Amino acid sequence: NAGVTQTPKFRVLKTGQSMTLLCAQDMNHEYMYWYRQDPGMGLRLIHYSVGEGTTAKGEVPDGYNVSRLKKQNFLLGLESAAPSQTSVYFCASSFGLFEETQYFGPGTRLLVL
Amino acid sequence: DAKTTQPPSMDCAEGRAANLPCNHSTISGNEYVYWYRQIHSQGPQYIIHGLKNNETNEMASLIITEDRKSSTLILPHATLRDTAVYYCIVSINNDMRFGAGTRLTVKP
C-alpha cells in the first residue's frame, strides 16, 4: 500500500496562475481532507469530503475549490493564486469522520510569487 | 482557536520518559483527545487517542485526568528519532484543530 500520496511535491506559481493539487489514497477511506500549514503554525483545515461526490468547507476555505469525483482521489484547486497561499499543503484520509485516525500524505510545498 | 494549550517547547534526555502536557479545559463530554506528531515537516503521524480512560499502545501512553480538562502524553523511553512537534487535539464541532504544538527535543 502506498497510503496517501500527493502530487506535485513542490511548485512555484506566479500570482494569478491556477493549479490543481492531487491527493490519492489506496486504503478505501471514505473521508479525505486538505490542510495547509504556514511556518511555525499548526495545520488548518481547508476543505474535507465525506464520500465520493461530496465536499464541505473547513476552517479556511476561501480561495480554494475541491472535487471528489472518485473515492480514492481528492483534488484541491487554486483558481487565481495569491502570495498568501504560499504554504505547505497536506492531504489526509480516514475511515471515520475526524474522530478516527487520519493518515497524512508527505505534503506539497507551494510558493506563490 | 485550537482549544488546547501546550508548552511551546520541551527537552528530554535520550532513554528517559518524555511527559508532554496538554490543557483542554473546555472539552465536551463526547470529544476525544488525539495526539499526533510531525517530524521535520513531514506529514503528521497519529500517535494515540482517548476519551476517558488511560490508553497505551506501542508508541506511547495517554493519561487523561478524571475531569478530562487535561492530559499527558508519555513516551516511555525517548530516542533521538522522537524529536518532533507534538500536537494535542480535541475535535470541535466535527473538525480537528491543530494548534502550534510542543516542540520536543530529545538530547543525547
Side-chain angles (χ1 to χ4, degrees):
Chain A
N1 284 354
V4 180
T5 58
Q6 293 183 231
T7 309
K9 289 185 172 55
F10 178 70
R11 184 76 182 268
V12 178
L13 289 180
K14 294 181 179 179
T15 297
Q17 287 185 317
S18 63
M19 77 164 294
T20 300
L21 282 67
L22 170 64
C23 176
Q25 53 94 5
D26 61 2
M27 296 174 282
N28 201 33
H29 286 167
E30 287 292 336
Y31 305 94
M32 298 186 73
Y33 318 83
W34 275 107
Y35 293 88
R36 62 175 288 173
Q37 185 174 33
D38 299 318
M41 297 180 64
L43 282 71
R44 292 184 292 170
L45 183 67
I46 304 172
H47 285 281
Y48 64 98
S49 168
V50 300
E52 184 177 319
T54 71
T55 63
K57 294 181 180 180
E59 185 184 357
V60 288
D62 294 341
Y64 305 95
N65 56 74
V66 287
S67 64
R68 183 96 181 271
L69 299 179
K70 293 182 179 180
K71 185 178 183 178
Q72 63 269 33
N73 296 336
F74 195 27
L75 306 178
L76 178 70
L78 287 73
E79 290 187 348
S80 180
S84 61
Q85 294 178 303
T86 292
S87 190
V88 180
Y89 292 85
F90 289 102
C91 175
S93 69
S94 65
F95 279 114
L97 182 60
F98 296 115
E99 281 82 17
E100 293 286 336
T101 305
Q102 293 186 33
Y103 296 84
F104 283 82
T108 294
R109 284 162 175 72
L110 177 65
L111 174 62
V112 182
L113 301 175
Chain B
D1 187 358
K3 301 299 185 185
T4 61
T5 303
Q6 299 177 253
S9 64
M10 293 181 62
D11 291 341
C12 177
E14 188 178 18
R16 296 295 191 102
N19 297 288
L20 290 88
C22 179
N23 288 323
H24 31 78
S25 58
T26 60
I27 192 170
S28 63
N30 60 349
E31 289 177 332
Y32 284 77
V33 178
Y34 285 81
W35 283 84
Y36 282 76
R37 73 180 182 182
Q38 190 173 26
I39 297 173
H40 191 53
S41 299
Q42 297 176 17
Q45 176 190 25
Y46 166 83
I47 302 173
I48 198 167
H49 74 284
L51 183 63
K52 295 181 181 179
N53 299 322
N54 298 337
E55 301 288 344
T56 296
N57 63 22
E58 64 278 4
M59 290 182 68
S61 294
L62 173 60
I63 308 298
I64 302 174
T65 58
E66 192 168 342
D67 63 8
R68 303 211 323 125
K69 292 185 177 183
S70 65
S71 60
T72 301
L73 177 75
I74 301 173
L75 307 179
H77 305 286
T79 71
L80 298 179
R81 288 178 294 180
D82 291 322
T83 292
V85 177
Y86 287 77
Y87 297 101
C88 169
I89 303 157
V90 297
S91 59
I92 304 294
N93 295 326
N94 285 333
D95 77 68
M96 295 177 70
R97 301 290 177 97
F98 287 74
T102 295
R103 181 172 296 279
L104 175 69
T105 302
V106 181
K107 298 185 174 181

